[in-house]
């Protein structure tokens, strides 16, 4: 099993920035594709971004493209999500996850080992 722990969320004004982190308990996770999801109250969990094992390939939904940047530091077994130009609609609990079967993104449904999530609230 693998444990993922998200951090870095908080309250930020519209247009502000946050950097989320996801620490993995096992180094083997750093050789797998990882992803960020988010879930707002009353809504389904939504795929946000993914990254291949070595960071060479990144993927974003249109709603966050050019505002968010996913990265990873495998030496630290940590995944990041730099969030710029935050909007109210970005408010959600953000989760990280890993695809234990693949080294690159294939599909959102293949990710699991969910962390506990970190709350991001964008409000003035």
């Amino acid at each position: 099993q693998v444990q993922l722990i998200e951090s870095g969320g908080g309250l930020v004004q519209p247009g502000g920035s946050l950097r989320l982190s996801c620490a993995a308990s096992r180094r083997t996770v750093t050789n797998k594709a990882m992803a960020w999801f988010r879930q707002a109250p009353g809504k389904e969990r939504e795929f946000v971004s993914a990254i291949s094992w070595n960071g060479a390939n990144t993927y974003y939904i249109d709603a966050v493209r050019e505002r968010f940047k996913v990265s990873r530091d495998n030496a630290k077994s940590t995944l990041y999500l730099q969030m710029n130009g935050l909007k109210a609609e970005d408010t959600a609990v953000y989760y990280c996850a890993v695809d234990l079967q693949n080294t690159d993104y294939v599909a959102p449904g293949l990710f699991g080992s969910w962390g506990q999530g970190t709350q991001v609230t964008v409000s003035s």
Side-chain angles (χ1 to χ4, degrees):
Q1 62 180 9
V2 60
Q3 184 176 3
L4 304 175
I5 302 177
E6 300 94 337
S7 63
L11 175 64
V12 63
Q13 294 183 341
S17 299
L18 287 172
R19 189 176 79 155
L20 307 184
S21 298
C22 171
S25 62
R26 298 175 62 180
R27 295 187 70 253
T28 53
V29 171
T30 63
N31 295 323
K32 305 296 183 180
M34 297 191 72
W36 288 98
F37 292 73
R38 65 186 180 185
Q39 186 169 27
K43 298 183 179 179
E44 296 182 357
R45 185 171 295 180
E46 175 189 31
F47 171 81
V48 176
S49 180
I51 187 169
S52 60
W53 76 276
N54 60 357
N57 301 321
T58 58
Y59 309 85
Y60 304 92
I61 58 172
D62 289 342
V64 308
R65 187 171 290 112
E66 299 185 351
R67 295 191 299 118
F68 292 7
K69 182 180 179 181
V70 63
S71 62
R72 65 195 300 166
D73 185 340
N74 287 343
K76 298 180 179 179
S77 298
T78 302
L79 177 73
Y80 302 99
L81 185 66
Q82 180 66 49
M83 310 166 68
N84 299 320
L86 284 164
K87 304 176 180 180
E89 52 263 44
D90 296 318
T91 296
V93 177
Y94 283 71
Y95 301 88
C96 64
V98 61
D99 182 350
L100 293 175
Q101 301 294 327
N102 296 290
T103 59
D104 200 357
Y105 169 78
V106 177
L110 299 180
F111 290 90
S113 300
W114 306 102
Q116 82 287 352
T118 185
Q119 177 71 50
V120 172
T121 302
V122 184
S123 176
S124 60

